[in-house]
């Protein structure tokens, strides 16, 4: 009799619970083999891992943070943004087709997310909610206070991608950083002693003082005044809303000797 029905007997060990000596389970295998069942399990496991990875990626996407005066002051993860909005410390900002800005608390944003595209939302057990791009804090109205980080990128920004010896403008891959006073002569790696230099001028100057190489700086290097952001290119479409508030981005890794 071919019913594709099989009996499996699973013995119980002594666990102190006094179960019956064995329990009979009947599994009806509609089609395929045990190997196919394992293949299906592996497939579902892979799908679950993919979903978890996508969720992790979405919750770690960047969100622009505005202070109470609508000035850009920080960037946080979507996970942190959701926490701030849910706690009532911030609201989510969106713009309509006429570029009017609207704010939402957690509940109104959740309701608005019902028809959002799947790639823009995270899904919970009971609802889905769209990843925010900008939030505004409800109480914080200050700008952070700190010095400009001394980085290669920031030196290029200060010197406007211009060689400080010949005055020519270059692409960044054609520029070096030069110590005006060479390090082996006591020169330090600081704002006041490091400048942009083209490869030709850098080679000509070598390990000498500018006057020793019969060269001069077009301007004296100095520490720039701090701004919270610097100009960046917005290539990711999900950050288009940022353009209304900032055309700037964080200054990067600090340089050192």
């Amino acid at each position: 009799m071919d019913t594709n029905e099989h009996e499996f007997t699973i013995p119980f060990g002594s666990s102190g619970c006094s179960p019956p000596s064995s329990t009979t389970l009947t599994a009806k295998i509609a089609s395929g083999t045990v190997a196919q069942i394992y293949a299906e399990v592996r497939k579902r496991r892979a799908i679950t891992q993919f979903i978890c990875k996508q969720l992790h990626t979405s919750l770690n996407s960047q969100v622009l943070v505005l202070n109470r005066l609508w000035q850009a002051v920080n960037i946080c993860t979507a996970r942190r943004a959701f926490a701030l909005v849910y706690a009532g410390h911030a609201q989510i900002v969106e713009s309509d087709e006429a570029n009017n800005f609207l704010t939402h608390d957690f509940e109104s944003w959740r309701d608005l997310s019902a028809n959002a595209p799947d790639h823009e939302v995270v899904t919970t057990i009971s609802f889905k909610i769209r990843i925010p791009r900008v939030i505004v804090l409800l109480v914080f109205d200050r700008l952070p206070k700190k010095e400009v980080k001394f980085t290669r990128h920031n030196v290029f920004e200060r010197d406007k991608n211009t060689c400080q010896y010949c005055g020519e403008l270059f692409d960044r891959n054609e520029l070096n950083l030069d110590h005006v006073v060479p390090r082996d002569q006591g020169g330090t790696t600081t704002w006041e002693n490091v400048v942009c230099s083209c490869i030709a001028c850098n080679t000509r100057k070598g390990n000498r003082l500018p006057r020793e190489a019969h060269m001069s700086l077009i301007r004296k290097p100095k520490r720039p005044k701090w701004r919270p952001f610097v100009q960046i290119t917005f290539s990711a479409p999900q950050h288009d809303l940022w353009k209304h508030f900032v055309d700037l981005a964080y200054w990067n890794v600090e340089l050192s000797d």
Side-chain angles (χ1 to χ4, degrees), residues 6 56 58-59 106 115 120 148 177 183 214 217 232 257:
H6 304 276
H56 177 79
S58 296
L59 289 176
F106 190 87
N115 298 318
E120 294 184 3
V148 178
L177 296 185
R183 281 181 289 182
H214 305 289
L217 292 165
I232 60 172
D257 288 316

Side-chain angles (χ1 to χ4, degrees), residues 173-187:
N173 58 7
E174 298 177 305
L175 288 170
N176 290 322
L177 296 185
D178 177 67
H179 286 76
V180 179
V181 178
R183 281 181 289 182
D184 64 359
Q185 297 188 40

Side-chain angles (χ1 to χ4, degrees), residues 55-80:
L55 179 62
H56 177 79
T57 300
S58 296
L59 289 176
N60 282 283
S61 58
Q62 292 186 329
V63 179
L64 184 68
V65 181
L66 310 178
N67 66 9
R68 191 167 59 90
L69 303 178
W70 291 65
Q71 298 168 312
V73 294
N74 203 358
I75 294 171
C76 72
T77 65
R79 186 189 306 272
R80 174 63 174 159

Side-chain angles (χ1 to χ4, degrees), residues 152-190:
R152 176 181 297 271
H153 173 80
N154 293 350
V155 174
F156 288 156
E157 285 289 331
R158 180 199 65 182
D159 293 345
K160 303 184 186 303
N161 299 334
T162 300
C163 174
Q164 297 300 289
Y165 294 107
C166 67
E168 294 294 325
L169 180 67
F170 292 89
D171 291 333
R172 290 194 177 181
N173 58 7
E174 298 177 305
L175 288 170
N176 290 322
L177 296 185
D178 177 67
H179 286 76
V180 179
V181 178
R183 281 181 289 182
D184 64 359
Q185 297 188 40
T188 57
T189 306
T190 61

Side-chain angles (χ1 to χ4, degrees), residues 102-119:
L102 309 173
T103 58
H104 299 272
D105 59 17
F106 190 87
E107 287 74 20
S108 68
W109 185 251
R110 179 192 59 196
D111 295 341
L112 189 68
S113 302
N115 298 318
D118 287 343
H119 70 278

